[in-house]
Amino acid sequence: MSSQNPSLNHDKDTVHKPSKEFSSKARISSMGAYRKLYKESIEKPNKFWAREAKELVWQKPWEKVLTWKAPHAKWFDGGKLNVCENCVDRHAAGPRKNKAAIIWEGEPGDKRVITYGQLQKDVCRFANVLLKNGVKAKDCVLIYMPMVPEAAIAMLACARIGAVHNVVFGGFAAEAIADRLEDSGAKVIVTADGGWRRGKVVALKPVVDEALTKSSQVTRVIVLNRCNNSIAMEPTRDVWWHDEVGTVSSKHIAKGFDSEHPLFVLYTSGSTGKPKGILHTSGGYLTGTYSTCKYIFDMRDEDVFWCTADVGWITGHSYIVYGPLANGVTQVMYEGAPNFPDFGRFWKMVEEYGVTIFYTAPTAIRAFIKAGNPFPEAHDLSSLRLLGSVGEPINPEAWNWYHKYIGGGKCPIVDTWWQTETGAILISPIPGATPCKPGTATLPFFGIDAAILDDAGKECKAGEDGRLVIRKPWPSMIRSIYGDKERFKKTYWSDYAGGIYSAGDGARRDKDGNFWIIGRLDDVLNVSGHRLGTAEIESALVSHPAVAEAAVVGRPDDMKGQAVAAFVTLKEEFVESENLRDELRNHVGKVIGAIAKPDDLHFAVGLPKTRSGKIMRRLLKELVCTGRISGNITTLEDGSVIDSLLRSIKR
Ligand code: WT7
């Protein structure tokens, strides 16, 4: 397997122990305390999780902590809760009423502070708007929004009335929305006229309009006026957010829903076919996100938390909306690009709002390193006490820079491993306890029985590569792939027998038991911490009239972790040209979204195939990584394509 983790040879790197200063105030303040609680949580997981879940508000207590008929889990069955009540009302009803829940900054510099008391009113109003527009419990609502507080308000309002949200990242194109609409069956869409990004308005409503030309299932589009850009409104279908909230009450009683009531579906890429709708439910998901925030981010009432992800990804769901709000902290939310007007934007905001916990992705850190130290150095970052990383392995250079220039050498860094499917962080340091080594997510969270298995299902020894698996169910785990139980079973539970979750990542443990993630084992790319299926990009390419065949592989990239390399063969009547190359790259941007645009696009006379017609991506991967093909090519159907491929990448 080609390693995506550049730090794997740095096993002997410096170990960073948490400072006494940090540990003495932390919830878990030593490795001894971590080990003791971990042992207990693995021996008696139900006891551990029940204790965590009890810190939430339940309208009806559960009867059974876990019902497990692999791969189907029911957590806190018989219990009823309202997820929104837990994130909003319970704080608004107490001393946190006038505490800032969300401190938001728009890219142009506009600012809003929303207290828990205000958030409750806003969420209730929008819940009433959804009800007025015919949304019922279990109906799906598609949310396609910029990073504005209304995105979180819309999600919480869905949760409040038991509707299932399907947030689609604002960078996705019309076809990606149309696919998700069709699969999720949403009849209502919440969107905005546009959002600000790098000083420009990125229009959103026109993309929704385009998606809707292919579908008639949507009866209502609710549009937030964010940018005042000119958009079309379809009079029988489209309504303005501000008009709608003006007609309803700011009161709404949050009724309890079953613990296993669906909370949201979020689409993510797999190795084959269309993106999968990952289904999460209520009580378990909230318990997982709440508990990981409490222990891994060590969240306190006085913290100001900032997760820089977009709400369109799972990180935004779990660590902007549900986890932090369930903990009642203040958080920062930012609309735009990290480099607008320059690379000092984040650090200016950290200083201004006194951010104490900062959570971002390695790809962003690498961009900051490149931009230069003067940007962070111009700001007082001394409020920070804890840093986090997510999305891909963090290379030692990025780790050390983050530690020194952002954390001032005093903040622990939690390198958090998890997935859309896992709902919450599963492997991470506990900041007051775990010694950190740059490049490893270290040890499993409480209740998480993580292991590395070989093909035969035997646990690997220290230093041996294998598959990362989770051997016991956990509360925030995926419940199904929306509408496709068989794919759910096949994708995650068929590598091993006996209800073992297979994450799709290769990994190894070092002699101290730390987990080092090597990279994906399937045809999934990790580009700037975002998951892209090679099959999706290939299918976008072949949907262009000039393309006969396409194969996509990842190649290492200093900034993005992985970059997208595409090989394309053209239909007879088309000729290679720079214009066509640009057109094909842009075509992928139009079909999926800008994040999926191939970085390299090579025209090829033929693609390397086995005699049975399977594209040998392994050879293409070697070619883009090393510029050579030395691997076994005896199974190749036509050896001459190799020469032409070698020529194609030189051009
Ligand atoms: C894949 C999941 C988890 C939220 C963001 C991505 C990779 C994630 C780490 C990490 C090494 C990581 C894995 C995983 N990944 N975090 N700390 N170290 N790799 O969620 O889009 O579902 O992608 O991201 O390969 O399987 P996602």
Side-chain angles (χ1 to χ4, degrees):
M1 183 194 343
S2 68
S3 168
Q4 283 158 240
N5 188 341
S7 55
L8 281 169
N9 302 323
H10 294 253
D11 231 328
K12 291 182 197 71
D13 260 358
T14 334
V15 174
H16 297 261
K17 287 202 176 134
S19 68
K20 284 216 171 61
E21 156 81 11
F22 191 97
S23 292
S24 62
K25 294 181 193 144
R27 282 198 176 81
I28 306 288
S29 57
S30 69
M31 273 312 274
Y34 161 77
R35 283 207 192 88
K36 185 162 171 258
L37 189 52
Y38 181 73
K39 184 164 181 280
E40 190 191 301
S41 73
I42 290 296
E43 284 166 2
K44 294 185 179 140
N46 293 5
K47 190 177 156 200
F48 173 80
W49 290 118
R51 199 164 61 218
E52 293 303 305
K54 272 193 186 139
E55 293 180 12
L56 302 173
V57 175
W58 292 82
Q59 297 192 9
K60 181 173 172 272
W62 59 82
E63 281 145 29
K64 206 169 165 208
V65 176
L66 170 65
T67 313
W68 179 228
K69 267 200 218 120
H72 302 290
K74 282 188 191 166
W75 283 91
F76 312 113
D77 204 22
K80 282 187 192 288
L81 83 170
N82 187 291
V83 169
C84 181
E85 175 186 19
N86 274 283
C87 293
V88 181
D89 301 59
R90 67 161 165 163
H91 310 308
R96 290 179 184 141
K97 180 177 161 80
N98 294 314
K99 175 180 177 173
I102 298 173
I103 301 175
W104 175 83
E105 237 185 68
E107 197 191 63
D110 39 343
K111 295 172 189 180
R112 282 161 68 189
V113 176
I114 301 173
T115 63
Y116 276 99
Q118 185 62 42
L119 186 61
Q120 185 182 34
K121 290 200 180 104
D122 290 346
V123 167
C124 287
R125 272 199 203 97
F126 202 67
N128 285 328
V129 167
L130 291 175
L131 291 170
K132 181 187 140 193
N133 284 289
V135 178
K136 293 185 300 293
K138 293 199 177 161
D139 285 353
C140 184
V141 174
L142 189 140
I143 299 176
Y144 183 69
M145 296 277 269
M147 278 288 288
V148 290
E150 283 79 2
I153 290 167
M155 290 162 77
L156 290 162
C158 286
R160 191 172 188 94
I161 63 168
V164 182
H165 57 70
N166 167 20
V167 184
V168 178
F169 171 57
F172 278 127
E175 209 155 304
I177 301 176
D179 285 348
R180 286 158 177 77
L181 258 182
E182 191 191 315
D183 195 77
S184 71
K187 293 196 183 63
V188 171
I189 296 183
V190 185
T191 188
D193 50 0
W196 287 95
R197 187 91 192 164
R198 291 206 178 84
K200 291 201 197 85
V201 173
V202 176
L204 294 176
K205 173 65 164 55
V207 187
V208 170
D209 291 340
E210 198 190 327
L212 291 183
T213 56
K214 293 165 200 126
S215 154
S216 56
Q217 79 195 36
V218 172
T219 53
R220 188 64 81 229
V221 180
I222 305 173
V223 188
L224 179 79
N225 180 350
R226 163 66 188 132
C227 298
N228 262 326
N229 49 314
S230 129
I231 54 162
M233 294 288 274
E234 204 284 296
T236 59
R237 186 193 66 195
D238 305 346
V239 292
W240 287 104
W241 177 297
H242 56 266
D243 288 340
E244 291 295 290
V245 294
T247 64
V248 294
S249 149
S250 63
K251 295 218 160 53
H252 173 269
I253 292 169
K255 102 174 209 267
F257 291 94
D258 290 340
S259 181
E260 284 298 334
H261 190 90
L263 181 61
F264 65 85
V265 53
L266 182 61
Y267 285 78
T268 190
S269 299
S271 40
T272 53
K274 297 229 182 228
K276 313 171 275 198
I278 307 301
L279 177 70
H280 283 287
T281 58
S282 305
Y285 173 79
L286 195 66
T287 303
T289 52
Y290 167 78
S291 179
T292 47
C293 277
K294 194 178 82 178
Y295 291 111
I296 295 169
F297 295 118
D298 194 43
M299 277 183 191
R300 308 304 175 122
D301 239 328
E302 52 279 18
D303 275 317
V304 179
F305 179 73
W306 186 9
C307 165
T308 68
D310 191 284
V311 287
W313 310 112
I314 189 70
T315 310
H317 283 58
S318 300
Y319 298 107
I320 293 177
V321 180
Y322 294 108
L325 294 178
N327 278 272
V329 294
T330 292
Q331 63 179 321
V332 170
M333 187 177 179
Y334 170 57
E335 176 183 37
N339 58 350
F340 188 85
D342 59 42
F343 273 100
R345 183 63 180 264
F346 277 13
W347 319 126
K348 183 167 173 273
M349 287 176 62
V350 167
E351 175 173 355
E352 177 160 352
Y353 303 116
V355 173
T356 60
I357 310 170
F358 182 76
Y359 190 33
T360 197
T363 185
I365 299 167
R366 291 191 293 265
F368 287 125
I369 298 177
K370 198 168 158 213
N373 298 348
F375 289 109
E377 279 167 358
H379 297 280
D380 177 2
L381 305 180
S382 61
S383 58
L384 290 169
R385 66 181 194 92
L386 178 57
L387 303 174
S389 169
V390 62
E392 56 175 316
I394 175 167
N395 50 306
E397 191 201 358
W399 200 103
N400 289 323
W401 185 88
Y402 196 27
H403 188 250
K404 182 167 174 194
Y405 292 99
I406 305 305
K410 69 173 170 43
C411 303
I413 299 178
V414 287
D415 174 357
T416 60
W417 178 89
W418 57 297
Q419 307 177 297
T420 305
E421 291 86 344
T422 69
I425 299 166
L426 298 195
I427 304 180
S428 166
I430 298 290
T434 318
C436 295
K437 281 187 215 172
T440 166
T442 72
L443 298 168
F445 184 65
F446 304 121
I448 304 303
D449 185 12
I452 294 165
L453 303 185
D454 66 13
D455 288 345
K458 213 170 98 253
E459 197 161 350
C460 294
K461 292 197 203 71
E464 271 175 22
D465 291 5
R467 289 197 188 92
L468 176 57
V469 300
I470 313 295
R471 294 181 294 201
K472 277 190 177 56
W474 65 98
S476 64
M477 66 197 279
I478 174 177
R479 294 305 193 271
S480 190
I481 290 176
Y482 209 61
D484 200 342
K485 267 193 182 153
E486 282 314 307
R487 193 173 173 195
F488 167 65
K489 283 189 203 160
K490 193 166 165 275
T491 310
Y492 307 106
W493 308 93
S494 64
D495 283 349
Y496 303 103
I500 291 177
Y501 173 84
S502 190
D505 277 353
R508 76 175 70 131
R509 300 184 81 165
D510 63 22
K511 59 183 183 342
D512 301 320
N514 294 309
F515 285 80
W516 297 74
I517 309 300
I518 303 169
R520 299 286 309 185
L521 294 165
D522 50 15
D523 290 321
V524 169
L525 307 183
N526 188 332
V527 178
S528 299
H530 300 313
R531 234 160 109 171
L532 293 170
T534 51
E536 270 171 81
I537 304 174
E538 288 163 3
S539 110
L541 282 166
V542 295
S543 74
H544 188 281
V547 176
E549 273 193 308
V552 166
V553 293
R555 72 154 165 80
D557 181 89
D558 286 349
M559 277 297 143
K560 303 177 173 186
Q562 274 189 308
V564 179
F567 291 83
V568 164
T569 62
L570 295 178
K571 290 186 190 151
E572 289 271 328
E573 59 274 32
F574 291 88
V575 280
E576 302 173 10
S577 72
E578 281 312 307
N579 280 346
L580 184 57
R581 192 191 306 270
D582 289 344
E583 190 179 319
L584 294 181
R585 293 184 61 245
N586 291 332
H587 179 71
V588 176
K590 266 190 243 142
V591 175
I592 305 176
I595 48 167
K597 271 192 193 177
D599 295 272
D600 314 333
L601 193 135
H602 307 289
F603 291 113
V605 184
L607 296 175
K609 288 188 192 162
T610 61
R611 276 164 238 266
S612 62
K614 251 184 106 180
I615 295 174
M616 295 170 81
R617 285 198 186 68
R618 163 175 72 78
L619 297 184
L620 296 173
K621 217 183 243 178
E622 190 193 352
L623 186 64
V624 295
C625 293
T626 66
R628 283 177 325 199
I629 293 183
S630 56
N632 184 349
I633 55 165
T634 51
T635 54
L636 200 62
E637 180 233 10
D638 173 8
S640 72
V641 300
I642 296 291
D643 293 332
S644 88
L645 285 169
L646 285 168
R647 281 196 305 274
S648 80
I649 69 153
K650 299 236 159 60
R651 260 176 273 149

